[in-house]
Amino acid sequence: MHPSRCTPGTRGECVVLKRSKSAPKAGEFQSKGAAGMMPGASGSGRLESELESWLSAERPMFGELALGMGAIDAERLTNALALQREQGGKIGEVLGLEEQTITAILSMQFAIQVADLRNEEPQKEALDRVGEELARQFHVLPLRVDEENRIWIVTNDARDDEAIRTLTVRCGRIGLLLGNRSDIEKLLHSAYSVLNDAQVFVQAHQLTETK
């Protein structure tokens, strides 16, 4: 039995959302070696099913959550929605909310934890397995590898299906965490710079030894 989830509605009341039976655990995906996979089932088929469930899952609206937590009032939300219809863009940015507020609301909306990027440094194994090219392409930060060999990745966009698909195929199993876009970009640059500098040092040391 899948538990119901309570989130604040437009007036702060409790809105109960039931999780679909076919939905994967919040923000977790896998493309191969899936526990419980039916005989003959393909990893790609499982991944596409998980993606479809993830993207189509019923969730509270971002604006409703922002209103319910007191970050905005109804007039500001109405004006922002009208502006979004005219100009496009993500509603959190149209509302002019701070990054931390946007990330906190996304965490409630998608039931994904916010990464503690102040106290947890990216693991070398996670960085290596994702690779700098893909990490920069999708603006994500590989953070750690858990005991189930799942790569936990910090993102600012939990609905980026191309990123989820590509990273899951690359890594086999991934889990999503949320983070501020600016923090991800800063740590992404520093993490791979340190990694590249270390590799250059090792290569230089090896060349010195062979002379």
Side-chain angles (χ1 to χ4, degrees), residues 81-184:
L81 289 172
L83 185 61
Q84 185 189 41
R85 283 193 292 270
E86 293 177 5
Q87 301 181 1
K90 296 181 178 180
I91 188 62
E93 296 172 356
V94 176
L95 282 165
L97 297 175
E98 295 182 351
E99 272 192 313
Q100 292 88 339
T101 303
I102 292 175
T103 301
I105 295 172
L106 289 174
S107 176
M108 291 190 291
Q109 186 180 31
F110 289 93
I112 299 176
Q113 290 185 348
V114 176
D116 185 3
L117 297 179
R118 291 186 177 183
N119 297 308
E120 185 173 3
E121 295 184 359
Q123 294 178 357
K124 181 180 182 299
E125 182 181 357
L127 293 168
D128 285 341
R129 288 178 59 178
V130 171
E132 183 175 3
E133 183 178 354
L134 285 183
R136 290 190 182 279
Q137 178 183 344
F138 294 118
H139 306 285
V140 297
L141 178 68
L143 190 60
R144 62 176 179 266
V145 183
D146 68 15
E147 64 278 0
E148 295 181 345
N149 205 31
R150 178 178 287 105
I151 313 296
W152 287 92
I153 297 172
V154 187
T155 181
N156 185 245
D157 186 356
R159 288 185 58 85
D160 188 342
D161 58 320
E162 181 184 358
I164 293 172
R165 182 180 293 106
T166 303
L167 292 166
T168 305
V169 170
R170 171 66 175 265
C171 301
R173 293 182 173 187
I174 70 167
L176 300 181
L177 299 168
L178 284 165
N180 300 333
R181 176 68 176 261
S182 62
D183 292 340
I184 292 172

Side-chain angles (χ1 to χ4, degrees), residues 55-101:
L55 296 174
S56 63
E58 185 181 11
R59 296 186 176 93
M61 300 296 290
F62 183 97
E64 291 180 345
L65 291 172
L67 193 61
M69 68 184 292
I72 57 172
D73 57 28
E75 182 180 2
R76 184 175 173 186
L77 176 59
T78 300
N79 293 337
L81 289 172
L83 185 61
Q84 185 189 41
R85 283 193 292 270
E86 293 177 5
Q87 301 181 1
K90 296 181 178 180
I91 188 62
E93 296 172 356
V94 176
L95 282 165
L97 297 175
E98 295 182 351
E99 272 192 313
Q100 292 88 339
T101 303

Side-chain angles (χ1 to χ4, degrees), residues 4-17:
S4 299
R5 185 160 52 91
C6 177
T7 58
T10 55
R11 297 180 179 84
E13 74 276 17
C14 180
V15 177
V16 176
L17 298 179

